[in-house]
Amino acid sequence: MKQSRYSPGARLHRQTSGAVRFSRTFTMVFAGHPARAAVSAFVLVISVFTALLALPWASADRHPMSLVDAAVTATSAVTVTGLTSQDPEFYSFAGQVVILAAIQTGGLGIVTLGAWLTLVVSRRLSLRTRLLSTESLGVSKLGEVPALLLTVFVVTLSIEALLTLVMLPVFVESLGIGEGIFHAVFYSVSAFSNAGFVLDTTSLTHPLIMTTINVGVFAGALGFPVVYMLYRMVFHKARMNLHTRLTLEMTAILLFGGAVVLAIFEWNNPATLGPMGTVDKLHNAIFASGMTRSGGFNTYEVTAQTDQTLLVTNVLMFIGGGSGSTAGGIKVTTLAVLLLAIVTEIRGDEHIRVHRRELPVSIIRVAVAVLMAGAVVVLTAVVLLTWVTGADLETTLFEVLSAFGTVGLSTGLTASAPDAGKWILIAVMFIGRVGTITFATGLTIRQQKTLYRFPTERPIIG
Amino acid sequence: MKQSRYSPGARLHRQTSGAVRFSRTFTMVFAGHPARAAVSAFVLVISVFTALLALPWASADRHPMSLVDAAVTATSAVTVTGLTSQDPEFYSFAGQVVILAAIQTGGLGIVTLGAWLTLVVSRRLSLRTRLLSTESLGVSKLGEVPALLLTVFVVTLSIEALLTLVMLPVFVESLGIGEGIFHAVFYSVSAFSNAGFVLDTTSLTHPLIMTTINVGVFAGALGFPVVYMLYRMVFHKARMNLHTRLTLEMTAILLFGGAVVLAIFEWNNPATLGPMGTVDKLHNAIFASGMTRSGGFNTYEVTAQTDQTLLVTNVLMFIGGGSGSTAGGIKVTTLAVLLLAIVTEIRGDEHIRVHRRELPVSIIRVAVAVLMAGAVVVLTAVVLLTWVTGADLETTLFEVLSAFGTVGLSTGLTASAPDAGKWILIAVMFIGRVGTITFATGLTIRQQKTLYRFPTERPIIG
Ligand SMILES: [K+]
Ligand SMILES: [K+]
């Protein structure tokens, strides 16, 4: 059947085919090596931004950063971590624009890469697993993935535009039109990408800015499968899937549970919540709790917090945000699966059930693998970093977890560490960002049937 | 058929029936509440020993300990931890005998309780699971459990007698006959029970004593199912089961792997291995690594070690020893299952396979539950203990992990903590000892079939 050249349906069809064809070409280039593709893409992007930031014009005083400092900033921006070895005032306007570009590239890059990897690996799944996989992405068939990506781009830019507009009046009033607009755009992108980069150390005191950034970080940390699901619920009356429900529930529990614990331990701390009024105390506690999800902005000195808060923050940073988001950590749904496993054991059930759904048996193994891999990376890095820096366990553990969770809260160790320490933190940010995606995606796919079985034997454990 | 009154077979049969009848009565008293039985038994035993140690004659200077200090020592001895708030020289000879009795009661009590719980819960298992369960205990049917217990008692006392004989000449030579015999007996029981209690701070320098204690701790930390299996392999030509193989392998890997890492980080530390010759360095590194399994004896100051060693020691203490042993922690087979889960994921296999056996699907959930429960206990205790003592994270984490793993290596915090801190450590020792047994045993049994199923849905994780 010949289609009219000017029908909108035909144009949409052509566009989709184009996207699918591009995706196929891209897939063929890295066929069979999705992990290698992800790692290569990130290394390339980070190298480019490192080179740009190592040039003199990136610094306010035209005195260039050392290569390792440029690499820290570039890696930190592309992996949306927010740890830097320089004060925010160090960078020139050009440097700030490069950082903004790196954040947006990294943020959207992660989302794109995540969707693409899912697409590639889904091709190799059995029909049943493929259905489960597309279902959890919020699409009913694989052909929808390009549309999903388009939606993610549009939604991301729309939300960032909205956040910019909300903050614009405050910034314009205090900084003038030009700088005000740049600040609003920068903080909007930095918040929704969960990057945690700031332009100066004083912007975050205004309550409206704080709230907007908190909302931006919250939304960004949910992850694109959740954002796409919510979009489809609003515009296409879709029913909420299990992934979205678990992500929203765990994120809310961690946000408010974390805020309560933080408020308890900081309520009378003169260096943090102590001097504030009750409302401000609660507001700042929720802000600080939300930032571990992994926004990484802070309204008071990290090191001024009590040991108890630091420890709870460590745990929250290790958990991180939603799967397929710009947040790091082992992810809230991984925690949900691990917790559900315990509940299942205590209830003595045969299957993990939640919200009238059963989880596939294999998912608990993936969750364990993600948890253990995270623990191994963090512990190895802490041992090496204490060795190189001579800093104590508390400081080192916090900084490594902040890097692994791509959170960006800092005890100052990233700035004070010798070069070897900075390279360790660069590696941890990279693994925390790229490793978990490829690791988890790689793990989920390779379900192979074995043709032989061994007798079952149960060792005693616990 | 009437049996001859004097045939040895009949006598054995009567004895076995008696044991089974006692076990049945015992079972009926706590029917349906094995966890409650375990907790009650331990609370009762600890209370009795606390009362004995709080009396004036337990102290060398007849000045009685405070109740909390007596409770620390009693809990520490019964849970075979070895953390105390007093110097070893504080106790009178009577006090030392009470501690010895507490250690032996606690050590054999755990073994007995473990076997009995397995027996009780096995009754409620499906035939298939029961077969798996008895198989892993190393017995072919439940009726053999009393015989197993008898074997464990005989083997325990035989090994302790052997260790005593080996150390006797050294102690008698330096301390005279009376005190020499007591020292040999005390250190033998303290080592094989993994208690880590010492009579003075100088005994452990002799290489023969060090080696003997290391061997005793190693054997004790394997756990009674392994000891029974080895006994049956030697005397009944039985084939090694999966539990024994995994326990031996993981224990060996942790012992030598830990020794290598410790040697690296302490080689030039002037306060630990630094001044020793190469052979002594290696010997002491293996000793220190083995003691985390959870013997808890030490040849140099814990706090003099490098931060890296402390961190590695923390991990090793959290792992602990063999299931059904006097060692604490999450247990080496739990770690083995978690690691095998990762290997399975990376290989993309459908089933966890090792040594030509498959692990049942449910075991990974039990392992996760044990791991997560342990993490929650440790983190909660650390938050509370830093709050109460004001000590730093490094010190607190080490002491809590030492208590949870019933290891007994100490940074001195148990002695310097205020009463509230001591009660927290008492609770952690108790949970580390009783909690994990009942938790793991309780979890393994309650496999119930559900009559309805929900649709499967896979959230995205990692
Ligand atoms: K961040
Ligand atoms: K011990």
Side-chain angles (χ1 to χ4, degrees), chain A residues 242 308 333-334 345-346 348-349 353 357-358 361-362 365 386 446 448 452-453 455 457-458 460 462, chain B residues 242 308 333-334 345 348-349 353 357-358 361-362 365 368 386 446 448 452-453 455 457-458 460 462:
Chain A
L242 182 62
Q308 294 76 47
T333 39
T334 308
E345 284 307 321
I346 289 170
D349 286 349
R353 286 174 295 163
R357 288 285 180 279
E358 268 177 26
V361 171
S362 61
R365 282 217 314 262
T386 49
R446 302 178 45 186
Q448 36 179 249
Y452 55 97
R453 299 290 301 269
E457 187 172 342
R458 174 186 278 275
I460 315 168
Chain B
L242 183 61
Q308 293 76 47
T333 40
T334 307
E345 285 306 322
D349 286 348
R353 286 174 296 165
R357 289 285 180 279
E358 268 176 28
V361 171
S362 61
R365 283 219 313 265
V368 168
T386 50
R446 302 179 46 188
Q448 33 180 253
Y452 55 98
R453 300 288 301 267
E457 189 173 340
R458 174 187 278 275
I460 314 168

Side-chain angles (χ1 to χ4, degrees), chain A residues 76 79-83 190 193-197 291 294-297 326 402 405-409:
Chain A
S76 186
T79 62
V80 293
T81 304
L83 290 173
S190 185
S193 303
N194 273 236
F197 273 87
M291 287 311 129
S294 65
F297 298 93
T326 53
S402 180
T406 69
V407 178
L409 296 169

